[in-house]
Amino acid sequence: MASAPLTPDFYHYDWDPLAAADLHGEFVHLRWTDGTELAAHGWWLRENVVAEGAVDPTTREGTLDPATFHTELAVTGAAVGTDGALELCWSDGFAGRVHPGWLRHVADQRHQVNAWLPAPEPWTGADLPEPPTFDGAAVLTDDRVLGEWLDALVRRGIGRLENLPATEETVLAVAGRVGVPRATNFGLDFPVKAEILANDQNSTANTTLRLGPHTDLPTREVPPGYQFLHCIENTVAGGWSRMTDGAAVARHLETHEPDTYEALTTLRWIFFNRSREHDHRWSGPLLDGGRDGVPLTIRAFYPVRAFPDMDEREVPRAYRAAKRFNELCADERFQIGYPFRPGDLVGFDNRRVLHGRDAFESGAGRRYLRGCYVDRDEILSRLRVLRRRAQEPSSPRSTT
């Protein structure tokens, strides 16, 4: 039996032998014994043969520039090998073998963007009275618990960790278990505390004021995907954190208040961060995307929603729609609240879940959180890897 062909990635695929391979014009029609079929274009197959002149065996990345394809390049032979692999040859004399299990995962749609991810589940206060909670100490060392927490972050948009060290380094240590933190004008990580000197405040977060439901950095073309907030100290009266699933509010509006929903999804505002040292601006609707595979991005931070970017005739209904959206986001039907305890870290989808806090008393205790941002891509990548690895054999994968 010939050696198993390498796959154009670094995952394990069960060996699922092909039953048939037939040429149909520019496509090779593949079939497995259970009747599953896949029509694979000849050029796409050429791009995915791991061999010199197609996919680099070291990086597993393609090396073919499409401009180099001859217009008449075609598969001239397709057969199932004795071991069930796909054996191919092309009109330019190139030949190669393709792993049938890798092909099968494409036929089964396991290559799609969301194939290894849980579907988002919108929630209300009745569905989720408090954040899904996990052992933070275990998340720092145990990939299984890390995967459970990340699953909650994607599925519910929120997940809390307990029992973490109440130190300034912890938030980046947790972020490092996921991927690369995203630096912003606030730095790689940032403090949230009212003791910052008044002339050095760069956010209303560093006050004792109530913060209504909002998402961070709508001033950016792509706002940070997730935010982690870690409590180091909290001895103040008040200051409870508030969370609302914006996806649930959007679904409610689309179903029950379509005119408001239309205004929120089409009328644009300019968001401007009003900083002495930075001038980030972006124009978009309060409910941005959320259809055709584009993740929902809620742009809802009223301190930086600076200018209507619409025909003046639309401004009155744009304001009324914004008012209605924030009313619902603060409604107890949709909002949950909880105190921050030292050692707690709450991660949440910054483009879906609106966060806020109650006002708290100045000078009567100390409230010190430390936060950082992690892009959505990092969360999803880490969760995919953990889920795939959980399904792989425990023995090392052969590279032959």
Side-chain angles (χ1 to χ4, degrees):
M1 180 184 294
S3 62
L6 294 174
T7 61
D9 56 35
F10 294 96
Y11 290 105
H12 168 83
Y13 298 94
D14 291 335
W15 192 262
D16 196 346
L18 285 162
D22 301 298
L23 281 174
H24 289 267
E26 295 188 12
F27 289 83
V28 179
H29 284 207
L30 307 174
R31 181 170 53 82
W32 283 264
T33 56
D34 64 358
T36 299
E37 296 183 345
L38 174 67
H41 191 267
W43 290 12
W44 175 75
L45 288 167
R46 177 64 174 273
E47 288 182 314
N48 286 287
V49 172
V50 184
E52 185 177 352
V55 173
D56 178 67
T58 301
T59 65
R60 308 291 173 91
E61 292 185 346
T63 61
L64 287 176
D65 182 341
T68 65
F69 282 130
H70 190 282
T71 304
E72 302 303 323
L73 179 67
V75 175
T76 55
V80 177
T82 56
D83 58 357
L86 177 61
E87 298 183 344
L88 298 162
C89 56
W90 282 264
S91 54
D92 61 355
F94 185 85
R97 283 161 44 86
V98 184
H99 193 299
W102 180 82
L103 289 165
R104 178 58 187 257
H105 105 284
V106 178
D108 291 339
Q109 299 295 300
R110 299 293 285 170
H111 66 301
Q112 293 290 341
V113 171
N114 293 324
W116 291 90
L117 303 173
E121 297 177 5
W123 51 267
T124 65
D127 302 322
L128 197 74
E130 64 177 6
T133 302
F134 306 86
D135 181 25
V139 161
L140 290 174
T141 58
D142 187 331
D143 281 354
R144 180 187 60 80
V145 184
L146 173 62
E148 292 174 351
W149 178 55
L150 295 180
D151 182 276
L153 292 183
V154 175
R155 189 184 305 276
R156 294 296 202 170
I158 186 171
R160 178 171 58 191
L161 303 181
E162 298 177 318
N163 305 319
L164 287 166
T167 64
E168 293 185 341
E169 299 78 18
T170 296
V171 69
L172 288 182
V174 173
R177 286 283 286 151
V178 176
V180 180
R182 172 172 167 176
T184 69
N185 51 298
F186 296 110
L188 193 61
D189 64 334
F190 48 86
V192 181
K193 55 183 179 179
E195 300 91 77
I196 295 176
L197 294 176
N199 63 359
D200 194 36
Q201 287 174 352
N202 57 1
S203 170
T204 50
N206 295 317
T207 69
T208 63
L209 299 173
R210 171 191 177 270
L211 291 179
H214 67 279
T215 59
D216 280 10
L217 304 189
T219 55
R220 306 302 183 94
E221 178 181 359
V222 181
Y226 283 79
Q227 182 173 173
F228 297 168
L229 283 176
H230 174 235
C231 180
I232 296 173
E233 185 177 357
N234 188 12
T235 56
V236 301
W240 271 42
S241 287
R242 304 289 174 179
M243 295 282 181
T244 302
D245 188 358
V249 174
R251 182 176 62 180
H252 169 87
L253 288 168
E254 184 176 19
T255 302
H256 301 289
E257 303 178 41
D259 290 345
T260 298
Y261 181 80
E262 187 275 335
L264 291 168
T265 56
T266 60
L267 301 181
R268 304 171 69 92
W269 298 84
I270 293 174
F271 299 88
F272 164 42
N273 68 333
R274 307 175 196 262
S275 166
R276 292 185 178 91
E277 303 297 331
H278 303 277
D279 191 336
H280 297 103
R281 302 189 191 206
W282 187 254
S283 174
L286 268 69
L287 300 183
D288 198 353
R291 294 186 178 276
D292 300 323
V294 178
L296 174 65
T297 294
I298 297 175
R299 299 182 185 274
F301 191 30
Y302 52 86
V304 300
R305 180 173 46 76
F307 311 103
D309 193 15
M310 62 195 79
D311 187 284
E312 66 180 33
R313 292 170 296 181
E314 302 284 13
V315 174
R317 75 183 187 103
Y319 266 107
R320 289 179 175 83
K323 168 183 167 60
R324 180 58 178 155
F325 180 71
N326 269 53
E327 284 176 346
L328 287 174
C329 288
D331 191 305
E332 63 181 12
R333 291 176 295 167
F334 294 98
Q335 190 174 74
I336 62 174
Y338 56 89
F340 256 123
R341 300 163 299 195
D344 284 358
L345 181 148
V346 175
F348 55 93
D349 186 336
N350 177 61
R351 288 155 63 184
R352 166 185 168 182
V353 172
L354 294 92
H355 64 291
R357 67 149 189 258
D358 297 344
F360 57 94
E361 297 181 16
S362 177
R366 190 166 185 257
R367 187 180 190 271
Y368 180 18
L369 310 181
R370 199 154 193 93
C372 74
Y373 300 112
V374 177
D375 274 329
R376 176 181 171 85
D377 293 331
E378 298 293 321
I379 300 285
L380 302 186
S381 171
R382 186 70 166 128
L383 183 54
R384 289 189 194 102
V385 169
L386 291 172
R387 285 188 153 197
R388 283 174 163 169
R389 284 180 179 171
Q391 295 186 17
E392 292 181 4
S394 57
S395 58
R397 179 188 174 191
S398 170
T399 59
T400 60

